């Protein structure tokens, strides 16, 4: 059974427990629906669920759903977007997975098809450095689906993830006015880090029992806030993105906060492939060396429990 990463909540140790689940933005709804279309979960010509059903699924108002649908219509992924009837997936969509040599794309668009392609190898090796594991956890949904459908079956899967330590003062997300003893943003980030990591580990380790795949999932903690995110696939590909900070406001636990934060799912992934020229090959090799050095030197044990 695959656990939905959006329905898990884990709170950090030595902090008061609160519920921080807040509605998704229309951009996040658009990202998820775009991923379903690109992965083939939603087929060309297929009618979308009603706006009411989508609003209920994502926990947002219908207006946010309409905004998301209009974004996808502007990208020529949907047609017939209106208030009256469900939209339709466009008939002609390029289903080729974005990969090395293509233009950079948002993480939620580019990552899932590249992860799925990596799972075609007999021995899958994925290393990730990120602020939380939310993008990686969501991207794993596609290869997990293909495995459960019997369309692929690697013999071995090794996943290593570097995440910020719970003990550090994060550079972001952080309140514009400065930190306080009761840092709601740090508590929410820690909850998300733990929850997404647990879901990722659970979903992958379940492949042992369901499909007899040799799986190993390891986490370690970084003593700093990573300003970039990096995904290394089978030692042959590197996907790199910047965390670009913005100032925005949000209500958290009934308190409105102005913060400096980065939307990781929107970060543009730059693809590099070993063998695609000297620059790409060198970048992939150096990225693997850099990740291994962090893993083996200054990183420490990471606990995902509350």
């Amino acid at each position: 059974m695959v656990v939905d990463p959006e329905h898990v909540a884990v709170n950090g140790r030595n902090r008061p427990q609160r519920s921080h689940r807040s509605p998704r933005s229309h951009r996040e709804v658009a990202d998820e629906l775009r991923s379903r279309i690109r992965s083939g979960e939603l087929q060309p010509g297929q009618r979308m669920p009603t706006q009411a059903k989508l609003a209920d699924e994502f926990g947002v108002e219908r207006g946010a759903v309409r905004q998301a649908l209009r974004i996808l219509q502007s990208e020529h992924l949907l047609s017939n977007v209106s208030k009256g009837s469900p939209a339709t997936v466009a008939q002609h969509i390029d289903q080729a997975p974005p990969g090395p040599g293509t233009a950079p794309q948002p993480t939620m668009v580019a990552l899932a098809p590249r992860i799925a392609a990596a799972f075609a190898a007999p021995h899958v090796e994925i290393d990730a450095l990120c602020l939380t594991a939310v993008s990686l956890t969501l991207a794993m949904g596609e290869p997990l689906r293909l495995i459960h459908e019997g369309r692929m079956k690697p013999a071995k899967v090794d996943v290593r993830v570097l995440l910020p330590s719970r003990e550090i003062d994060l550079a972001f997300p952080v309140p514009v006015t400065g930190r306080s003893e009761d840092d709601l943003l740090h508590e929410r980030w820690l909850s998300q880090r733990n929850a997404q990591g647990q879901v990722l580990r659970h979903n992958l380790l379940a492949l042992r029992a369901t499909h007899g795949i040799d799986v190993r999932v390891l986490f370690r903690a970084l003593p700093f806030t990573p300003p970039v995110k990096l995904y290394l696939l089978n030692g042959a590909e590197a996907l790199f993105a910047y965390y670009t900070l913005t100032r925005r406001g949000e209500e958290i636990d009934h308190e409105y906060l102005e913060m400096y934060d980065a939307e990781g799912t929107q970060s543009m992934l730059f693809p590099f492939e070993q063998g695609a020229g000297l620059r790409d090959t060198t970048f992939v090799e150096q990225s693997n060396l850099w990740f291994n050095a962090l893993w083996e030197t200054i990183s420490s044990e990471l606990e995902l429990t509350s």
Side-chain angles (χ1 to χ4, degrees), residues 83-244:
K83 290 185 178 181
S85 60
T88 303
V89 180
Q91 288 288 352
H92 303 289
I93 296 174
D94 181 9
Q95 293 293 341
T102 63
Q105 294 180 303
T107 299
M108 286 302 295
V109 177
L111 186 58
R114 297 316 310 155
I115 294 287
F119 266 74
H123 183 189
V124 182
E125 297 179 276
I126 296 177
D127 293 333
L129 179 149
C130 40
L131 187 65
T132 69
V134 60
S135 295
L136 180 61
T137 302
L138 291 171
M140 283 291 180
E142 178 63 7
L144 289 173
R145 180 179 68 85
L146 295 173
I147 289 173
H148 290 308
E149 290 178 355
R151 297 168 59 184
M152 62 170 51
K153 185 180 179 181
K156 187 175 182 180
V157 177
D158 285 309
V159 176
R160 299 187 300 174
V161 184
L162 286 170
L163 298 167
S165 168
R166 70 191 305 155
E167 305 300 333
I168 67 172
D169 289 332
L170 289 174
F172 61 90
V174 64
V176 172
T177 56
R179 296 180 177 86
S180 63
E181 291 185 5
D182 186 17
D183 192 335
L184 297 177
L185 287 178
H186 188 280
E187 182 182 340
R188 185 181 67 165
W189 163 80
L190 182 59
S191 173
Q192 292 174 341
R193 188 206 71 170
N194 290 346
Q196 299 298 334
Q198 285 191 348
V199 171
L200 178 67
R201 181 168 59 190
H202 171 84
N203 287 347
L204 287 171
L205 292 181
L207 296 176
R208 289 178 179 174
T210 58
H211 296 277
I213 299 174
D214 182 11
V215 178
R216 182 177 62 165
V217 185
L218 301 174
F219 296 86
R220 287 187 68 78
L222 292 170
F224 61 88
T225 308
V228 299
K229 62 187 341 185
L230 178 69
Y231 304 98
L232 303 171
L233 312 180
N234 294 339
E237 291 184 39
L239 301 172
F240 173 90
Y242 296 101
Y243 282 116
T244 302

Side-chain angles (χ1 to χ4, degrees), residues 174-178 185 247-248 257-260:
V174 64
V176 172
T177 56
L185 287 178
R247 177 170 176 165
R248 64 185 183 88
L257 290 178
E258 288 283 337
M259 69 188 78
Y260 296 118

Side-chain angles (χ1 to χ4, degrees), residues 30 36 48 71-72 92 173 186 239 270 273 288:
R36 294 178 188 179
M48 297 285 290
I71 290 174
L72 299 183
H92 303 289
H186 188 280
L239 301 172
F270 291 81
E273 182 181 23
N288 278 283

